[in-house]
Amino acid sequence: MAQHAIQSLPQVTPRRSENWLRGLSLLGFVLFWQVIAWSLDSDLLPSPTEVLVGLWAQIINGELLTHLGITLIRVLVSFLIAMLIGVALGVFMGRSKSWDAGLDGILVIGLNIPALVTIILCYIWFGLTEVAAVVAVAINKIPMVIVTVREGTRALDKHLMEVAQVYQLTRWETFRKVYLPQLYPYLVSAARNGLALIWKIVLVVELLGRSDGVGFQLGTFFQLFDILGILVYTLAFVIVILLIEAWVMRPAEAYLTRWRK
Amino acid sequence: MNGLTIRVENKTYQNTGTCTLKDIQLDVTPGEFVAIVGPSGAGKSTLLNMVAGLDKDFEGEITVDNAPLHVTQPLKQIGFMFQESRLMPWLTVLDNLLLVLGKEQEDKARELLRQVHLTDIENHFPGQLSGGMQRRVALARAFSVEPDLLLMDEPFMSLDAPTAEYLRGLLMDLWSETKPMVLFVTHYLREALALADRIVFLSESPAHVVLDMPVNLERPRSVEDVDVNKLHADLLHLNPHLLSGLVNGKQWNKASMTEAAS
């Protein structure tokens, strides 16, 4: 049963031909943008080349990297907090019916509260602080992690746990080599979706109540109607996300699920 | 050591209320290979799970020299080979053995893989192996812990005949080295005759022992041996419904069976 559940998770690694198609459509999009920008010739739509030049300038003067770094640290911290708490609660709720019954109502509320509401409430209650910012992001993410991990825990193979019991494995070994590997596909899925959500929420949090980070900068550019600045920061941010996806998430997933090939 | 004593007065599943096992008395002496044969659904697997300590919800006791098996743990190790190989799919063959053996026992793990002729695939994952090879790994795992008691739950089911025969050969080779007590559950009478020192026949559920019969045939034996064939035929002739868990009246006793077996 566990086997089935694991295989039914969507396969995320793209094939080679699909990669080509992806690159082609991106190229088309950039060309389209360039043509529109040329024909409009307006400050409201800088061309891709202007954005690239702007990006280089911002990198040189160091400001972009500072803000980007601060944002990434916020992403990382809230991601780790959300994963830790989400996995723990997900495992408890997946294993114990009373935990599940006790927390399910709150979970449903958590899944449906708009991110903006949690952010505003956190800032009002805890002040415009770093802690409030990180907590707000984590709270938005935790319910999704719980749901994914709970599903994984429910699909655990009882038969393999019996093997651990008969052969008298220690609790630690059972957890690490029998229990956890069954959860890997779910953890990977939770982590991927988690990052995608957290990026976005962190920017809003920064916009509303921080005086540094990419979100704060975007807010400033908005007030100054600095479209070029907005696009430069967006581009930088997107590049970083793609790199993390390609260099951290995908290799991690490939390693953790290598036995399935 | 006087061996294993199983006394089960009653095993009833709580959720369904069905009684699976009733008044089972079964003793296994050290070094003895006992096969348990019975119709499917008779509770043979349940019995093994109880001996393994996986199912503790029953009336009765399972002891070794009067010491309760799962309280004072009189046995150092129990090995269990299940119907499915039950290897960890995310661990290599070698790591599957090291999981139960301990990391420092690599030499021993390799030695066992050599004995089941799997040396060259120690770094494969179970998913890359055929069903028969997976069972060989499971067999090596069961023996790697040097069990005092080995439980086997139809371990060669769903394998083709030659593969099953090959695995039975490996099992006998490994068993004859250390001679742990074995409880081997099967519904395949020839297999029981080919392997065991003694066969215990169970009735339909609620299961009790209908016949306890020694097998005094020379080893090595195979399921197709003349002696095995003869004993198989005699048994079923005297007792056509034996495999459904029925014994004809009272003429069956240990003495008459010993005759049939010799």
Side-chain angles (χ1 to χ4, degrees), chain B residues 39-226:
Chain B
S40 44
K44 305 186 294 290
S45 300
T46 308
L47 184 62
L48 278 201
N49 283 342
M50 284 156 55
V51 177
L54 296 173
D55 189 340
K56 291 179 176 152
D57 183 27
F58 63 93
E59 290 165 40
E61 54 178 11
I62 297 168
T63 55
V64 169
D65 301 344
N66 294 323
L69 191 52
H70 297 287
V71 183
T72 49
Q73 305 216 319
L75 294 183
K76 195 166 79 317
Q77 263 295 357
I78 295 178
F80 202 146
M81 197 173 162
F82 303 88
Q83 278 181 25
E84 325 79 30
S85 65
R86 294 202 195 180
L87 303 169
M88 305 297 152
W90 40 85
L91 295 181
T92 61
V93 165
L94 184 64
D95 284 340
N96 261 291
L97 293 199
L98 293 179
L99 178 67
V100 301
L101 265 176
K103 264 189 232 107
E104 53 306 328
Q105 303 261 40
E106 236 176 82
D107 291 343
K108 192 164 166 197
R110 290 221 166 82
E111 169 58 20
L112 267 146
L113 287 178
R114 193 191 58 74
Q115 284 177 295
V116 296
H117 310 291
L118 287 179
T119 306
D120 41 340
I121 56 110
E122 64 172 47
N123 289 322
H124 285 48
F125 289 106
Q128 301 168 313
L129 307 180
S130 68
M133 285 165 113
Q134 291 186 17
R135 305 301 163 96
R136 268 143 81 187
V137 180
L139 185 67
R141 176 173 71 181
F143 274 96
S144 70
V145 295
E146 293 182 4
D148 307 301
L149 170 63
L150 179 57
L151 307 172
M152 307 188 86
D153 187 2
E154 310 204 21
F156 308 136
M157 217 183 59
S158 77
L159 294 175
D160 58 82
T163 309
E165 184 62 22
Y166 177 61
L167 270 149
R168 280 191 287 271
L170 288 175
L171 166 63
M172 287 329 281
D173 291 346
L174 286 165
W175 177 70
S176 56
E177 272 181 31
T178 51
K179 290 255 176 150
M181 294 183 279
V182 179
L183 279 178
F184 188 103
V185 160
T186 181
H187 61 239
Y188 180 29
L189 179 55
R190 283 174 188 278
E191 181 171 59
L193 290 168
L195 292 173
D197 295 317
R198 217 174 100 210
I199 303 180
V200 173
F201 291 89
L202 294 186
S203 70
E204 292 244 25
S205 178
H208 56 277
V209 178
V210 290
L211 181 66
D212 191 330
M213 178 195 94
V215 182
N216 301 320
L217 298 177
E218 286 286 314
R219 286 198 173 93
R221 336 167 181 146
S222 114
V223 289
E224 296 300 337
D225 279 357
V226 178

Side-chain angles (χ1 to χ4, degrees), chain A residues 187-240:
Chain A
L187 293 179
V188 168
S189 158
R192 275 165 166 277
N193 300 336
L195 272 185
L197 181 75
I198 282 178
W199 305 127
K200 294 165 191 164
I201 298 175
V202 163
L203 295 197
V204 181
V205 166
E206 289 175 342
L207 175 78
L208 290 178
R210 299 274 74 212
S211 51
D212 47 20
V214 175
F216 165 77
Q217 285 292 87
L218 289 174
T220 314
F221 294 140
F222 176 40
Q223 279 157 24
L224 301 172
F225 257 61
D226 183 352
I227 313 276
L228 181 65
I230 291 178
L231 291 180
V232 165
Y233 268 73
T234 309
L235 180 63
F237 202 61
V238 167
I239 291 174
V240 169

